[in-house]
């Protein structure tokens, strides 16, 4: 990752301006920190995907199959036929530039090929050059070019520098969705054995054991029980959740990171407390133990395979409906693709809240609702005893995670819940929230450490807005309803805005929820002291928790 | 340039007063030089987009440069200097620059000042001498810039290591068995307890 030491003649060069060239002529240089490691052969093999092998993007030879070009063009032709949207996206862009400066990677890097319009053009130019008459005859004049080895490398570089966040599509007058273009480009690359390990690993694990981490059933169960022990220490409440219980009314599915990794585990403790409070007839599953679906970042086929597990498990257990935790892309898959991939889920019932009787009609195809709409409905009906002052040590802002906000319009529900469970809430500037929210810079499978420089560039617009509310209002906590956010934003904050921690919304719910029979509370779910403890004696435990 | 008729060299003002009266020109020219280090389309965006939230890089560069020029003309720079350098270098430390190019913009300030004050400096030995003083300050600024740049790079390495350490056990190579992971967790708890005992013992010993 270390930057290379320049040669003396480079040092002596006075003009630091980068050279001017036509974008098609500029070859990609694989600098450390801007690309992800290649998929390991054992993971690729586990998924029956083509051409498992050892290779590395920074090496000259990518060990592609001899007929790579045929394969790519054939797959491209097939997808153009299959997805009408792709054909339309290839044809209708008028290069108006409205999307150009909306991508966090362009904003943070200044690299023109990170402009969404140019990112899409990487694929579009091949479409023109290989498939359209004008492009075949006029070549560059018509914006076309031929598919070469260098183009493949360029695709890999830039389509794995897109988090499929869809911010750009919000601004396109034609509704062109560059994220969908990236998805197709990744599919084309996959066919010739090009993908990244940070995606292949979780997908292979999910396929094998049901979750990204590869946790086997007893580990999954043990971890949730560990969390219950912590809950007991903090609140004095004993919780005994059930696993794989047939006949439960509700199946609960959340990202496995909530079960296993900080700070997601505190969000998970919030879920556990809430379900106990409501005496909900629900079960965890050790088979459908992952909400996240990295298949979305791999191919349509893979997304379908992984999504199917959730529904197969719901059927096996005979539940009525599914409740989903604070995940990002799980909701994009459910909301935008599930019904055509694996639906409709006729064997389930339209979700009805057993506490309030609210019928969630909008989920009638997928039979799955978001935990925050479930909670928001509870609060609306005054079913929760909440003490927001138990979050008084926190000054909160909320990051709209790309997928829930742009793929399902999930804007007000989290805010309704947050404002009901804490007293200090401040919004970030309006061109950085709601549908215009800035990505964390690490989504779509790019949340790995070898991609750190690019992540910090891409995350700058988000961090910059946090910095503003941190300085202006003293914000020290940002909530995010996405497990990738919870995994990567702490690092982002650490670099750009130290002093702001990250959590899910349900962690704050867990802090505020007054449990019948609880012991006086002097610490929050992270075991950090409350501003106004309800315990008689303030905690003397100064040990490093 | 030399040998022409004298012009403007009679000024009585000292270099700092001159810098101050040319503050806006210097800031603008220096910012332009920083933007020139980005690819053309990127630079265009940085230059033209004024909203601080839509263009955080431009915002941080502008804030940094304005602050640095202000610091420079106050003769005695304050601790604010570090903050202004950080504003720019934290960005450049994660962008496509080799270390030299990341901090090179500091030296551009010398060029900018010589350009802006060219008329006044011509044949004015006193001002030239004062300028040397300013340039020495700029050299020091460059050293400080390099320290800050390195600090940012170190932070990046540290963040990488922290992420790898925090990575759930099962994704680590070699630990593919959950019971091994569990015993690792137990070991961790044990280690924490031992550490606690250890630190208690240390403090007791210190008490003696
Ligand atoms: S989807 Fe997001 S990351 Fe991809 S080009 Fe658009 S704005 Fe950039
Ligand atoms: S906003 Fe839409 S039409 Fe305009 S350049 Fe971007 S993708 Fe093309």
């Amino acid at each position: 990752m270390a930057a290379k030491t320049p040669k003396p003649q480079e040092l002596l060069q006075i003009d630091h301006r980068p050279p001017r060239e036509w974008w098609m002529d500029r070859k990609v240089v694989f600098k450390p920190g801007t690309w992800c490691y290649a998929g390991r052969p054992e993971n690729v093999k586990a998924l029956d995907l083509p051409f498992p092998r050892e290779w590395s993007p920074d090496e000259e030879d990518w060990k592609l199959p001899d007929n790579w070009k045929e394969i790519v063009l054939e797959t491209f032709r097939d997808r153009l036929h299959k997805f009408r949207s792709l054909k339309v996206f290839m044809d209708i862009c008028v290069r108006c530039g409205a999307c150009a400066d909306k991508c966090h990677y362009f904003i943070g890097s200044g690299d023109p090929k990170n402009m969404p319009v140019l990112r899409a053009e990487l694929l579009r130019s091949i479409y023109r050059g290989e498939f359209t008459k004008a492009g075949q005859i006029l070549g560059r004049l018509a914006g076309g070019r031929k598919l070469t080895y260098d183009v493949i490398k360029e695709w890999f570089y830039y389509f794995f520098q897109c988090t499929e966040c869809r911010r750009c599509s919000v601004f396109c007058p034609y509704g062109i969705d560059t994220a969908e273009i990236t998805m197709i480009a990744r599919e084309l690359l996959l066919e010739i054995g090009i993908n990244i390990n940070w995606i292949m690993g979780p997908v292979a694990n999910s396929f094998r054991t049901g979750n990204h981490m590869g946790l086997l059933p007893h580990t999954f169960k043990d971890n949730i029980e560990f969390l219950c022990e912590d809950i007991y220490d903090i609140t004095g409440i004993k919780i005994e959740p059930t696993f794989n219980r047939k006949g439960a009314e509700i199946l609960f599915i959340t990202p496995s990171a909530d079960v296993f990794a900080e700070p997601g585990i505190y969000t998970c403790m919030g879920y556990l407390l809430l379900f106990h409070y409501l005496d909900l007839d629900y079960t965890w599953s050790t088979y459908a133990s992952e909400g996240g679906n990295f298949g979305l970042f791999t191919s349509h086929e893979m997304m379908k395979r992984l999504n199917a597990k959730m529904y197969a498990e719901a059927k096996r257990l005979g539940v009525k409906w599914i409740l989903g935790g604070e995940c990002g892309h799980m909701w994009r898959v459910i909301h935008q693709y599930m019904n055509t991939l694996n639906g409709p889920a006729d064997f389930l019932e339209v979700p009805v809240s057993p506490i309030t009787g609210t019928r969630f009609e909008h989920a009638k195809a997928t039979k799955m609702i978001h935990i925050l709409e479930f909670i928001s409905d509870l609060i609306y009906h005054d079913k929760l005893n909440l003490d927001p002052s138990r979050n008084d040590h926190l000054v909160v802002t909320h990051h709209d995670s790309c997928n829930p906000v742009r793929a399902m319009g999930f804007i007000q529900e989290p805010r309704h819940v947050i404002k009901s469970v804490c007293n200090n809430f401040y919004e970030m500037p309006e061109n950085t929230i709601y549908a215009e929210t800035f990505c964390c810079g690490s989504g779509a499978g790019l949340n790995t450490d070898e991609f750190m420089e690019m992540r910090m560039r891409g995350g700058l617009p988000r961090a910059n807005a946090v910095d503003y509310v941190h300085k202006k209002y003293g914000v020290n906590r940002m909530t995010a309803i996405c497990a990738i956010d919870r995994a990567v934003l702490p690092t982002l904050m650490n670099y750009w805005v130290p002093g702001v921690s990250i959590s899910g919304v349900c962690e704050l719910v867990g802090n505020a929820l007054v449990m019948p029979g609880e012991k006086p509370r002097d610490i929050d779910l992270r075991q950090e002291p409350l501003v106004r403890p309800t315990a008689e004696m303030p905690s003397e435990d100064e040990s490093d928790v | 340039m030399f040998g022409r008729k004298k012009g403007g060299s009679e000024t009585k003002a000292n270099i700092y007063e001159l810098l101050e009266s040319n503050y806006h020109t210097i800031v603008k020219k220096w910012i332009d030089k920083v933007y020139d280090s980005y690819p053309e389309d990127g630079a265009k965006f940085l230059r033209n987009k004024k909203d601080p939230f839509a263009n955080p890089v431009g915002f941080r560069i502008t804030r940094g440069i304005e602050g640095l020029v202000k610091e420079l003309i106050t003769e005695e720079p304050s601790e604010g200097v570090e903050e202004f350098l950080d504003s720019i270098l934290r960005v450049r430390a994660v962008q496509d620059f080799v270390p030299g190019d990341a901090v090179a913009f500091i030296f551009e300030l010398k060029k900018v000042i010589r350009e802006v004050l060219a008329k006044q400096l011509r044949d004015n030995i006193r001002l030239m001498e004062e300028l040397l003083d300013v340039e020495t300050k700029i050299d020091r600024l460059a050293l400080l810039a390099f320290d800050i740049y390195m600090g940012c790079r170190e932070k990046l390495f540290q963040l990488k290591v922290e992420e790898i350490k925090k990575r759930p056990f099962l994704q680590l190579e070699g630990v593919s068995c959950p019971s091994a992971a569990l015993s690792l967790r137990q070991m961790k708890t044990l280690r924490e307890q031992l550490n606690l005992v250890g630190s208690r013992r240390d403090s007791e010993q210190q008490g003696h």
Side-chain angles (χ1 to χ4, degrees):
Chain A
M1 177 169 116
K4 286 199 191 84
T5 318
K7 297 190 194 81
Q9 59 268 39
E10 284 168 3
L11 269 180
L12 293 177
Q13 153 208 345
I14 307 288
D15 191 354
H16 295 277
R17 261 177 286 190
R20 298 172 67 168
E21 314 160 273
W22 176 237
W23 68 266
M24 284 189 195
D25 297 326
R26 202 177 311 140
K27 270 175 74 167
V28 167
V29 183
F30 283 86
K31 290 189 189 140
T34 61
W35 51 273
C36 304
Y37 298 149
R40 287 215 200 100
E42 63 270 24
N43 290 328
V44 177
K45 241 183 251 165
L47 294 163
D48 291 328
L49 292 172
F51 310 114
R53 70 203 184 286
E54 296 278 356
W55 67 283
S56 178
D58 62 340
E59 281 166 10
E60 201 46 44
D61 180 8
W62 284 16
K63 303 178 190 158
L64 300 184
D66 292 339
N67 58 341
W68 62 267
K69 193 167 170 175
E70 272 162 54
I71 300 176
V72 172
L73 291 178
E74 202 36 58
T75 317
F76 200 173
R77 200 169 285 125
D78 173 72
R79 299 303 189 268
L80 284 165
H81 180 69
K82 210 175 194 171
F83 300 110
R84 191 158 159 66
S85 55
L86 176 64
K87 177 93 173 52
V88 172
F89 293 165
M90 289 295 105
D91 284 327
I92 62 167
C93 171
V94 292
R95 289 184 244 183
C96 69
C99 63
D101 58 0
K102 304 303 186 296
C103 175
H104 49 283
Y105 283 129
F106 171 68
I107 294 173
S109 69
D111 178 350
K113 285 191 199 171
N114 274 317
M115 292 178 176
V117 52
L118 208 43
R119 197 189 305 285
E121 201 66 16
L122 303 178
L123 196 67
R124 206 175 270 129
S125 54
I126 301 302
Y127 165 74
R128 288 199 205 98
E130 299 279 3
F131 297 128
T132 68
K133 277 265 140 38
Q136 278 165 344
I137 296 164
L138 296 173
R140 274 189 186 201
L141 282 177
R145 60 174 177 166
K146 293 286 171 202
L147 183 61
T148 62
Y149 210 90
D150 282 336
V151 169
I152 294 291
K153 293 189 171 184
E154 187 186 46
W155 279 4
F156 173 81
Y157 193 73
Y158 287 102
F159 289 118
F160 285 92
Q161 281 187 5
C162 167
T163 47
E164 303 182 1
C165 76
R166 303 175 75 230
R167 186 171 196 267
C168 50
S169 73
V170 171
F171 298 88
C172 175
Y174 293 89
I176 294 176
D177 186 348
T178 306
E180 297 256 353
I181 294 175
T182 294
M183 286 164 69
I184 294 292
R186 289 187 182 188
E187 253 185 74
L188 303 186
L189 292 171
L190 187 71
E191 290 301 312
I192 51 172
I194 297 175
N195 206 305
I196 63 171
N197 200 51
W198 201 255
I199 294 177
M200 289 292 98
V203 171
N205 280 340
S206 289
F207 197 61
R208 248 189 326 252
T209 66
N211 55 66
H212 289 169
M213 322 268 184
L215 306 179
L216 293 176
H218 58 292
T219 318
F220 187 80
K221 179 169 174 278
D222 281 347
N223 260 285
I224 290 177
E225 284 167 357
F226 275 129
L227 298 181
C228 291
E229 282 169 26
D230 283 353
I231 289 176
Y232 180 73
D233 292 343
I234 298 164
T235 66
I237 301 287
K238 211 167 173 54
I239 297 179
E240 287 168 346
T242 61
F243 297 87
N244 308 330
R245 179 162 61 84
K246 286 194 175 170
E249 183 181 354
I250 300 162
L251 168 63
F252 179 65
I253 300 178
T254 198
S256 60
D258 285 354
V259 175
F260 221 78
E262 273 188 70
I265 50 172
Y266 307 116
T267 305
C268 193
M269 287 156 82
Y271 306 147
L272 288 161
L273 280 164
L274 176 80
F275 299 155
H276 184 80
Y277 179 98
L278 299 172
D279 197 17
L280 203 66
D281 179 13
Y282 84 106
T283 184
W284 292 85
S285 164
T286 57
Y287 170 73
S289 48
E290 179 62 67
N293 183 339
F294 272 33
L296 173 68
F297 315 137
T298 310
S299 68
H300 287 79
E301 176 57 28
M302 198 56 74
M303 161 167 53
K304 178 181 167 138
R305 275 156 97 177
L306 297 187
N307 173 261
K309 297 189 86 170
M310 294 173 26
Y311 285 89
E313 181 66 338
K315 194 171 192 174
R316 187 180 76 87
L317 296 175
V319 300
K320 288 190 181 151
W321 54 276
I322 307 173
L323 182 61
E326 295 187 27
C327 184
H329 62 273
M330 165 171 86
W331 287 105
R332 167 122 150 247
V333 174
I334 296 297
H335 208 77
Q336 297 199 315
Y337 303 105
M338 181 274 159
N339 199 29
T340 40
L341 293 178
N342 294 314
D346 287 337
F347 51 90
L348 297 172
E349 293 174 16
V350 176
V352 173
S353 168
I355 319 313
T356 66
T358 301
R359 202 177 141 84
F360 294 90
E361 278 297 338
H362 66 281
K364 90 174 160 234
T366 62
K367 314 291 196 304
M368 179 159 176
I369 61 166
H370 196 294
I371 187 151
L372 289 181
E373 56 190 324
F374 181 67
I375 299 178
S376 176
D377 173 64
L378 291 167
I379 294 173
Y380 179 78
H381 287 97
D382 205 14
K383 299 289 182 194
L384 300 180
N385 182 7
L386 297 166
D387 177 1
S389 78
R390 296 213 293 222
N391 282 312
D392 274 356
H393 55 312
L394 303 174
V395 184
V396 182
T397 193
H398 179 65
H399 161 65
D400 286 288
S401 307
C402 304
N403 285 309
V405 76
R406 281 194 278 263
M408 61 189 290
F410 209 62
I411 293 173
Q412 294 308 337
E413 293 85 344
R415 287 178 170 76
H416 177 218
V417 176
I418 296 167
K419 287 178 190 164
S420 309
V421 298
C422 78
N423 290 319
N424 314 305
F425 175 73
Y426 297 96
E427 291 281 13
M428 286 180 275
E430 66 179 346
N431 53 346
T432 71
I433 54 172
Y434 292 13
E436 290 186 37
T437 188
F438 276 114
C439 180
C440 62
S442 308
L446 307 181
N447 48 323
T448 170
D449 59 276
E450 73 263 20
F451 198 61
M452 193 58 86
E453 272 87 339
M454 207 61 206
R455 284 172 50 191
M456 294 302 112
R457 287 178 209 177
L460 169 59
R462 172 36 78 225
N464 181 55
V466 181
D467 189 43
Y468 176 77
V469 285
H470 174 63
K471 294 211 170 92
K472 187 157 181 192
Y473 306 112
V475 162
N476 58 10
R477 169 66 57 87
M478 177 157 67
T479 50
I481 54 170
C482 162
I484 292 182
D485 281 336
R486 289 191 287 278
V488 303
L489 287 174
T491 305
L492 189 76
M493 290 301 112
N494 208 333
Y495 186 75
W496 293 109
V497 201
V500 178
S501 58
I502 306 296
S503 74
V505 173
C506 283
E507 179 184 332
L508 303 190
V509 173
N511 282 341
L513 196 61
V514 182
M515 305 289 293
E518 69 179 11
K519 68 178 189 187
R521 298 268 282 264
D522 56 358
I523 45 176
D524 67 6
L525 295 180
R526 296 187 182 199
Q527 314 208 13
E528 280 160 12
L530 300 182
V531 173
R532 274 191 287 277
T534 48
E536 281 152 23
M537 296 289 289
S539 167
E540 284 180 5
D541 185 7
E542 301 279 342
S543 64
D544 199 10
V545 282
Chain B
M1 170 170 164
F2 296 103
R4 297 218 203 111
K5 69 174 175 149
K6 287 180 190 173
S9 56
E10 306 304 326
T11 179
K12 294 277 181 297
N14 76 20
I15 190 93
Y16 291 101
E17 288 159 349
L18 283 176
L19 289 174
E20 192 162 359
S21 56
N22 287 285
Y23 169 79
H24 292 290
T25 324
I26 293 172
V27 165
K28 186 172 174 313
K29 286 200 172 213
W30 194 15
I31 290 178
D32 270 342
K33 296 244 190 250
V34 182
Y35 289 164
D36 280 347
S37 62
Y38 291 88
E40 209 181 343
D41 285 328
K44 207 156 76 189
F45 164 73
L46 291 175
R47 239 172 231 132
N48 298 335
K49 195 86 179 181
K50 299 296 178 205
D51 183 309
F53 302 108
N55 178 11
V57 174
F59 167 66
R60 290 180 70 109
I61 289 174
T62 309
R63 180 177 68 185
I65 296 284
E66 285 175 355
L68 287 175
V69 177
K70 262 184 212 141
E71 289 288 340
L72 194 75
I73 56 189
T74 53
E75 290 192 45
E76 279 310 311
S78 73
E79 278 174 13
V81 167
E82 283 186 31
E83 193 187 320
F84 297 125
L85 282 172
D86 189 279
S87 181
I88 302 170
L89 287 154
R90 192 160 295 274
V91 175
R92 291 173 79 85
V94 295
Q95 290 178 327
D96 262 346
F97 297 106
V98 293
D101 281 351
V103 296
F105 74 94
I106 299 286
F107 297 106
E108 301 282 355
L109 179 58
K110 291 188 186 177
K111 256 200 265 174
V112 168
I113 293 177
R114 287 183 215 162
E115 267 168 41
V116 173
L117 301 185
K119 228 164 72 186
Q120 292 90 329
L121 288 169
R122 199 179 302 153
D123 299 342
N124 189 330
I125 305 286
R126 174 185 58 82
L127 269 185
M128 280 294 215
E129 275 167 6
E130 287 175 10
L131 179 67
L132 286 182
D133 183 47
V134 171
E135 294 200 342
T136 307
K137 269 191 194 160
I138 296 175
D139 290 338
R140 270 195 233 124
L141 210 57
L143 290 179
L144 194 55
F146 206 78
D147 285 350
I148 289 173
Y149 170 86
M150 282 314 293
C152 292
R153 296 294 304 177
E154 272 164 25
K155 180 89 188 176
L156 275 180
F157 292 127
Q158 184 200 334
L159 291 173
K160 279 176 68 145
V161 172
E162 273 171 23
E163 276 199 1
I164 293 170
K165 282 205 291 200
K166 268 199 327 205
R167 202 180 280 177
F169 296 113
L170 294 186
Q171 286 196 349
L172 287 178
E173 253 168 299
V175 187
S176 53
C177 157
S179 58
L182 271 180
S183 59
L184 269 177
R185 185 176 166 144
Q186 281 152 3
M187 266 167 56
K188 196 174 149 236
T189 323
L190 195 70
R191 212 171 35 233
E192 274 163 11
Q193 285 165 355
L194 284 175
N195 278 344
L196 261 181
V197 174
S199 58
R200 220 170 280 151
R201 199 184 305 126
D202 286 349
S203 58
E204 274 166 20
Q205 277 169 357
Q206 276 161 13
H208 281 294

